[in-house]
Amino acid sequence: MPHRIKWLTEAHYQDPLVNYGSTEFVLQFQDAAEILRKWRNPHLGRSSREGTIIRLANEANKSVELIRDMLLTTELDAKTEEQLIEQLKILTFMMNYTLPEALELVNKDLLLTPEDIMKFIEKHLALMRQELGKGLSMAKTMLSRLNELTDIEIRDQFGRKRRVQQSDVLDVLGKTLGNMIIRQSSLRPVDNIDARPRGKIRKRETYKAAILRSANIPPPTIETEDIRVVDKDRLALIYFIVDVSQSMSKTVFSGGLTRLDGALLTSLGLYYYFNLTNRRKRREFDTFKMHLVPVTEVPYVIDDNKKLERFLFEAEAKGKTRLVHAVNAVMHHVYANYQENDYDVQIIVLTDGRPNVPFKGKIPGRPDKFLVKYFEENASKTKIETRECMLQLNQLFNYLKKSMDRHWEISYFLMAPEKFKNSDLYRDTKVMLGGITKPILIDPTKIDQLGVRIIREAIQE
């Protein structure tokens, strides 16, 4: 009976993320981070280069066997037979001399990229070209495929090894991290009784309902019938603003992984999380539309897979933190692309530094007089340009929150250790977000929990 249960489990309940012949292959967050680093930097992926040569050797070996069978068992004209013999010589030469030497040089870190391997093989075959006096078309065809042959060796938490093609890396990681977030976010605490309708309470709407029911300001009580919660079936636009400034290059993991690595993995995980959630709901229209907004010199909105892949591959921790520019880009993207509907908008900001580049254009709304007075009267160590950015962010956020055309929500995550709460910057940030939201502190060493924190704090709870 136990063996039947095992068959049933493997046949019908396979892990939809990473399944390379074993349902027990489990990737953890740091495993995923290491894979992402190898994918982003070919100099780190020796196993990728080894895989390139091994796959070339396997293909050459299969071709040799096929050609030998054809020569021995098939009636061929003289010209075709001569071409096959030429190909057989080339493949044998590559298997016996060229590829073994290339593999040895890779192990010595003398060939660092697929391009290096290609150049070495071309030089190695130059002598054979001169000897034969003919163009080696077969070798050229094989060499042209080197860019595709970039397997990356991956290990799970138990040391088991698998290989994944470069073209599949993001899909494997995205599904792994997306399902990880789904599993984590499904774990709810059971130590308290939740005596309210399921969902996140909208305090403002609940308060208004109580005023209308009781005809008093303030209402004497809040009754069950007054409670208003987030409609989880409502269509929503989600914009994840990710800080990629210079300060994100700080190392936070023992393996040399940076805050930027954690932010990139979280971005990828959230992107796939919402895709998986949409598929589970099986509706005509996607419930969630996920967008990524890097805080670069010119912030832009990523809303398709190709842009996401390009960003994840090229992202560098450099430059300053243009948060105001990023929020402004989100606002214009919503108005330019979703004018005809009233989707709810969720803006999620993730930063570890401080906004330090004020926006020079016109910003909608009005400056908050209380915040202006606060910065004038308090002897804060926060820099002047950061204060100006905070005034602009406060003005933008208040304008969006008071907007009548759609419902806007803002979440503000600070990637910093617990002691950061004692700093002037944290206190100023908290005042800046007063009446809008509260800053949520994320310990950089626990960034593997960032995805689920975002879902719980900003989307579900």
Side-chain angles (χ1 to χ4, degrees):
M1 185 60 124
H3 64 282
R4 294 182 183 175
I5 295 176
K6 178 177 174 57
W7 290 342
L8 177 66
T9 304
E10 290 187 346
H12 298 286
Y13 297 97
Q14 295 177 352
D15 189 336
L17 309 182
V18 182
N19 180 21
Y20 294 98
S22 172
T23 56
E24 298 177 354
F25 193 79
V26 180
L27 282 176
Q28 296 298 322
F29 189 84
Q30 283 197 254
D31 301 325
E34 186 61 29
I35 296 168
L36 184 68
R37 291 182 72 207
K38 288 182 178 180
W39 178 76
R40 280 166 48 83
N41 187 349
H43 293 264
L44 294 175
R46 177 184 293 177
S47 60
S48 169
R49 303 189 296 275
E50 290 174 350
T52 295
I53 296 172
I54 291 169
R55 285 193 62 185
L56 274 176
N58 286 336
E59 289 195 356
N61 185 54
K62 290 178 182 177
S63 298
V64 165
E65 292 177 357
L66 181 61
I67 291 172
R68 283 176 177 167
D69 287 343
M70 290 181 66
L71 290 172
L72 292 173
T73 61
T74 309
E75 292 186 9
L76 303 169
D77 58 74
K79 185 177 180 180
T80 304
E81 189 172 328
E82 184 181 350
Q83 290 176 345
L84 289 174
I85 291 173
E86 179 190 342
Q87 292 178 8
L88 188 62
K89 288 180 180 179
I90 295 167
L91 293 168
T92 304
F93 184 81
M94 291 183 68
M95 289 173 58
N96 293 338
Y97 303 102
T98 308
L99 296 179
E101 288 190 31
L103 187 59
E104 183 179 355
L105 292 175
V106 164
N107 288 328
K108 293 180 178 179
D109 279 338
L110 297 177
L111 298 178
L112 296 176
T113 66
E115 290 76 19
D116 293 339
I117 298 172
M118 184 182 297
K119 289 177 182 178
F120 168 79
I121 294 176
E122 286 179 342
K123 289 179 181 178
H124 209 268
L125 293 176
L127 292 174
M128 192 174 182
R129 279 196 190 92
Q130 295 173 5
E131 187 178 319
L132 293 177
K134 297 179 181 180
L136 304 182
S137 57
M138 180 69 179
K140 287 183 178 179
T141 301
M142 292 185 66
L143 291 176
S144 67
R145 297 191 58 200
L146 268 173
N147 290 329
E148 304 172 17
L149 305 177
T150 51
D151 287 9
I152 293 178
E153 182 181 272
I154 61 178
R155 296 169 181 255
D156 70 356
Q157 60 178 330
F158 303 110
R160 289 184 287 259
K161 298 180 182 179
R162 297 290 187 275
R163 286 188 180 275
V164 56
Q165 291 186 29
Q166 184 176 14
S167 58
D168 296 332
V169 166
L170 287 188
D171 195 45
V172 170
L173 291 183
K175 289 179 180 178
T176 299
L177 295 166
N179 263 315
M180 190 182 296
I181 293 173
I182 287 176
R183 289 195 299 271
Q184 290 173 336
S185 61
S186 66
L187 301 175
R188 294 174 58 90
V190 293
D191 52 344
N192 294 319
I193 297 174
D194 194 7
R196 63 174 173 83
R198 188 172 180 176
K200 178 182 176 181
I201 292 181
R202 285 189 171 173
K203 297 178 182 178
R204 182 177 298 177
E205 286 77 3
T206 298
Y207 193 68
K208 287 181 179 178
I211 291 174
L212 292 174
R213 176 188 54 78
S214 63
N216 286 300
I217 302 177
T221 58
I222 302 291
E223 304 294 341
T224 303
E225 63 195 76
D226 301 327
I227 294 177
R228 300 292 184 268
V229 298
V230 172
D231 181 3
K232 293 188 179 181
D233 294 331
R234 184 164 172 71
L235 300 177
L237 305 172
I238 297 159
Y239 289 85
F240 187 32
I241 298 176
V242 182
D243 184 357
V244 292
S245 61
Q246 181 65 39
S247 56
M248 291 292 282
S249 62
K250 294 179 181 177
T251 301
V252 293
F253 295 113
S254 57
L257 304 177
T258 65
R259 295 180 179 186
L260 177 64
D261 294 326
L264 295 180
L265 287 169
T266 300
S267 304
L268 183 61
L270 288 174
Y271 198 86
Y272 273 79
Y273 168 85
F274 289 112
N275 285 341
L276 291 167
T277 302
N278 288 333
R279 287 209 302 269
R280 290 184 175 191
K281 288 185 177 292
R282 297 180 181 178
R283 299 224 172 101
E284 184 178 354
F285 300 101
D286 288 345
T287 303
F288 301 106
K289 293 184 182 294
M290 175 71 183
H291 308 78
L292 188 64
V293 187
V295 184
T296 55
E297 186 173 354
V298 181
Y300 61 99
V301 176
I302 296 172
D303 52 8
D304 63 52
N305 292 344
K306 288 185 177 179
K307 289 182 183 178
L308 177 66
E309 181 174 347
R310 192 181 313 117
F311 164 69
L312 292 175
F313 189 78
E314 298 175 353
E316 295 181 62
K318 62 180 182 179
K320 296 186 176 182
T321 309
R322 292 173 166 81
L323 277 184
V324 188
H325 300 69
V327 176
N328 187 63
V330 168
M331 183 180 66
H332 284 287
H333 188 269
V334 172
Y335 289 142
N337 295 278
Y338 302 101
Q339 190 69 39
E340 302 301 321
N341 57 60
D342 61 345
Y343 287 178
D344 288 349
V345 182
Q346 178 79 44
I347 297 177
I348 303 167
V349 178
L350 173 65
T351 178
D352 75 330
R354 62 202 74 197
N356 50 24
V357 182
F359 189 76
K360 294 183 180 180
K362 186 178 180 180
I363 295 178
R366 296 179 180 179
D368 188 323
K369 294 180 180 179
F370 169 79
L371 190 60
V372 173
K373 187 177 180 181
Y374 168 82
F375 282 129
E376 289 176 348
E377 296 180 352
N378 284 273
S380 172
K381 294 180 181 179
T382 305
K383 293 183 179 180
I384 295 175
E385 61 268 22
T386 299
R387 296 184 192 182
E388 188 175 345
C389 289
M390 286 184 172
L391 287 168
Q392 292 181 341
L393 282 173
N394 176 271
Q395 182 175 331
L396 257 178
F397 288 155
N398 274 316
Y399 171 79
L400 295 175
K401 290 284 287 185
K402 295 175 182 177
S403 175
M404 302 298 293
D405 64 333
R406 68 185 71 239
H407 185 78
W408 296 76
E409 283 290 341
I410 291 102
S411 299
Y412 202 94
F413 288 83
L414 285 168
M415 196 184 302
E418 188 68 23
K419 63 181 181 181
F420 183 71
K421 286 186 176 180
N422 299 323
S423 67
D424 287 346
L425 180 57
Y426 179 81
R427 285 189 287 270
D428 292 346
T429 302
K430 193 172 181 180
V431 174
M432 181 264 289
L433 296 172
I436 301 168
T437 187
K438 291 182 179 179
I440 302 167
L441 205 63
I442 294 288
D443 189 332
T445 60
K446 299 178 181 177
I447 201 170
D448 56 328
Q449 299 291 319
L450 176 58
V452 69
R453 284 291 303 276
I454 288 174
I455 298 301
R456 287 181 175 176
E457 298 282 352
I459 309 299
Q460 288 187 348
E461 297 301 323

